[in-house]
Amino acid sequence: MAKTTNIAVVSIPAFSHQASIVGFCKRLVHLHDHFHVTCIFPTIDAPIPATLAMLESLPSNIDYTFLPPVQKQDLPQNASSLVLVQTAVSYSMPSFRDLLRSLVSTTSFAALVADPFTNEAVEIAKGEFNLLSYIYFPISAMTMSLLLHLPKLHQQVLCEYKDHKEAIQIPGCLPLQGHDLPSDFQDRSCVDYELILQRCKRLPLADGFLVNSFYEMEKGTLEALQEHCKGSNNNNSCVYLVGPIIQTEQSSESKGSECVRWLEKQRPNSVLYVSFGSGCTLSQQQLNELAFGLELSGQNFLWVLKAPNDSADGAYVVASNDDPLKFLPNGFLERTKGHGYVVTSWAPQTQILGHTSTGGFLTHCGWNSALESIVLGVPMVAWPLFAEQGMNVVLLNEGLKVALRPKINENGVVEREEIAKVIKGVMVGEEGNEIRGRIEKLKDAAADALKEDGSSRMALYQFGTQMENVGKCLSYSLMEVTK
């Protein structure tokens, strides 16, 4: 019987990152059933309810622990969500150190796998416990390449990125305009950018990188990343594309959801699903324009509605308790009754995207949502709001050509006529058919990557085998010590 190989993983207090790394852990222990994984979660105030629900279905060889919560009142006031999350992670590091010391002293641990924004944990794991340490990127290989090269880019570009006249070239990636770089990069004097820059400088500490993407989608980027790692100071560290990793389990709540029952009554490919993820919010003005744009398009829609907020990441850490319906334009629900359905709480996204009635997805293009749309073959209206979403849209719109991107006016607003135009472009007509054909091919490539001999499965197998070998060496070392 194979000896147990123990690893720990640590994420940030954000559901999208936690869901992705837990999905990675499930796939790892399914392929290597003698692995045991301990998931470690820093926490703000209390565990995220969606995370608690997700953790109910863990297999027996994955367990988890929440670090003592950091109170939101002790974090910087009026700070961005990025600063809140990163400060909470930093405050949690003493607790993480104590937990890791306890785990290592009682069990032979092979490695730590950390979110890129918990890489302070990598310093602790390598410097104090001599553990192999890996970074798991729940984002694209394209964004990973940007983060690896940011310290060099910071020196090369002396002005604000959005004011840089030429396209910015990141190795292995499509050319980027400065305004498409992550929102936290747009003011280089702010604390958000400085925090990211500090963490990017730590990335070369890692012994390897795992990325939630797949070879057939980001082949050129992977090759550039591998070349970069060979020439860097991190000992020829490996890059493993192990995706697409998405949430696929259906809860009892999703099976009986009213919006799914509504979908059952619609024609195939006739419904546009509208959702900006768990953390993104629109301003009141933009919410109005979206409502009128949906109405003007004449297309059936299922809209997951959140209360407006002037900050695009207004629900990233703490969601509003306001009733979203009261912010809709007067008469909107009455005028769209019969061909529109508005959800004001949670919706089973993968079940909706996989439904035969769903023909398009208006999305903020968070990486989890983008991958879910690709895996389920749904064309996109790509509307980035913050973080690295602009880069994801460049890949989806310009590179893969599976999405349409609405134009923003000089005041930073997408107007109703433009919204209606891109919705109809995806849902009906020749352009929509061409996008549908391309995303069907990408859907097939994603499925192939996960087959027994697929690129992502083989990459995960190679990573697991490396951990097994480390585990054997640790066991042998312990035997020598105890002789």
Side-chain angles (χ1 to χ4, degrees), residues 271 273 352-355 358-361 370 372-381 402 426 435-436 439-440 443:
V271 176
Y273 174 55
I352 291 169
L353 289 173
H355 201 282
T358 303
F361 183 17
E372 287 165 3
S373 206
I374 288 167
V375 168
L376 296 166
V378 182
M380 286 169 270
V381 173
V402 294
V426 162
I435 291 173
R436 196 172 306 279
I439 204 164
E440 280 293 329
K443 172 184 176 181

Side-chain angles (χ1 to χ4, degrees), residues 119-139:
N119 60 29
E120 289 165 278
V122 172
E123 283 188 319
I124 294 170
K126 289 185 69 68
E128 299 181 28
F129 300 100
N130 197 30
L131 283 179
L132 275 179
S133 298
Y134 295 82
I135 302 290
Y136 172 76
F137 284 86
I139 48 183

